[in-house]
Amino acid sequence: GAGVSQSPSNKVTEKGKDVELRCDPISGHTALYWYRQRLGQGLEFLIYFQGNSAPDKSGLPSDRFSAERTGESVSTLTIQRTQQEDSAVYLCASSLVRNEKLFFGSGTQLSVL
Amino acid sequence: QKEVEQDPGPLSVPEGAIVSLNCTYSNSAFQYFMWYRQYSRKGPELLMYTYSSGNKEDGRFTAQVDKSSKYISLFIRDSQPSDSATYLCAMSDFTGGGNKLTFGTGTQLKVEL
């Protein structure tokens, strides 16, 4: 595709439910990143994929958060047993190779009620 | 103390003004510096990037890095209403093999007619 695509663009869920957020990177981009942006705060790194492997998961805030990538393409970020503090915009970015410029999607706005 | 500090603003300027946006950082390992622009409900868009101290110019935008002072700036000349957005500085030390970025909180800019 022409850019990084994320779905859904908005997600409202109830506390305790599981959610899945999807990212389609730019075709051919081998590196993929997930970030979280809370209201009024900068972006927080969550996880980095190189191909289908995740060499850096250091930003995942708890074991309720997990992510996978398949086919060196689509990635899914899963949040289990959502809490109100999980409310944020979740942004995905990709780059052609590691250490190159990141291109971001428009994000998924997650609201946990 | 955060690794990257950025004045959140908001900053309001008249059309045609020169805008100066700044970040300071504490991690001397940062070697890759970027400025992103983020419009409301959109993902960040890369404006400028540089690897070294000094100035880099691109049209109306100039990025300045002073590694000795751990200080970076973005200057916008002849500012336009379309420049109204949040500006995020970002930095990387290339640890973990990927381009994991550490972001400032962003400065909200409004350019008024």
Side-chain angles (χ1 to χ4, degrees):
Chain A
V4 177
S5 178
Q6 291 188 247
S7 60
S9 55
N10 285 282
K11 177 71 176 178
V12 180
T13 191
E14 293 179 349
K15 178 181 172 181
K17 300 280 190 182
D18 297 351
V19 295
E20 283 190 354
L21 312 179
R22 177 187 168 107
C23 172
D24 283 272
I26 294 172
S27 178
H29 280 198
T30 64
L32 186 147
Y33 303 78
W34 283 98
Y35 284 81
R36 178 171 71 177
Q37 186 174 29
R38 289 170 162 162
L39 190 63
Q41 298 188 24
L43 279 70
E44 303 170 71
F45 168 80
L46 296 178
I47 187 169
Y48 153 63
F49 286 92
Q50 181 58 45
N52 293 334
S53 300
D56 191 345
K57 309 178 184 180
S58 61
L60 294 178
S62 75
D63 59 8
R64 296 187 297 104
F65 287 73
S66 63
E68 66 172 12
R69 188 179 184 195
T70 57
E72 299 196 348
S73 180
V74 173
S75 176
T76 303
L77 177 68
T78 301
I79 308 173
Q80 296 179 310
R81 304 181 302 282
T82 52
Q83 304 294 312
Q84 288 184 333
E85 62 263 27
D86 299 334
S87 296
V89 176
Y90 289 83
L91 289 157
C92 175
S94 69
S95 65
L96 186 58
V97 294
R98 65 180 191 179
N99 298 350
E100 277 294 319
K101 291 176 281 186
L102 271 61
F103 295 87
F104 282 86
S106 293
T108 293
Q109 172 74 64
L110 175 66
S111 299
V112 182
L113 304 179
Chain B
Q1 183 189 4
K2 294 180 181 177
E3 278 191 291
V4 179
E5 299 279 357
Q6 184 176 10
D7 187 335
L11 180 62
S12 183
V13 301
E15 183 179 8
I18 296 174
V19 176
S20 173
L21 304 166
N22 311 294
C23 288
T24 59
Y25 62 96
S26 57
N27 185 351
S28 57
F30 286 142
Q31 51 183 297
Y32 184 47
F33 304 91
M34 286 137 285
W35 285 94
Y36 281 84
R37 177 175 63 194
Q38 187 175 26
Y39 292 113
S40 181
R41 301 185 184 279
K42 296 290 186 183
E45 168 195 13
L46 181 65
L47 279 178
M48 301 281 289
Y49 71 98
T50 182
Y51 290 93
S52 58
S53 284
N55 293 352
K56 182 175 181 179
E57 189 174 317
D58 184 1
R60 296 185 296 112
F61 298 91
T62 299
Q64 191 174 77
V65 174
D66 182 348
K67 287 187 176 180
S68 62
S69 301
K70 297 190 181 68
Y71 187 88
I72 69 170
S73 300
L74 178 71
F75 298 96
I76 307 173
R77 290 182 297 281
D78 187 25
S79 55
Q80 303 295 310
S82 58
D83 295 328
S84 298
T86 297
Y87 290 79
L88 300 153
C89 63
M91 308 177 190
S92 175
D93 58 7
F94 291 135
T95 56
N99 195 3
K100 182 171 81 174
L101 302 180
T102 301
F103 282 84
T105 53
T107 299
Q108 189 178 348
L109 172 66
K110 184 171 184 181
V111 181
E112 306 203 64
L113 289 168

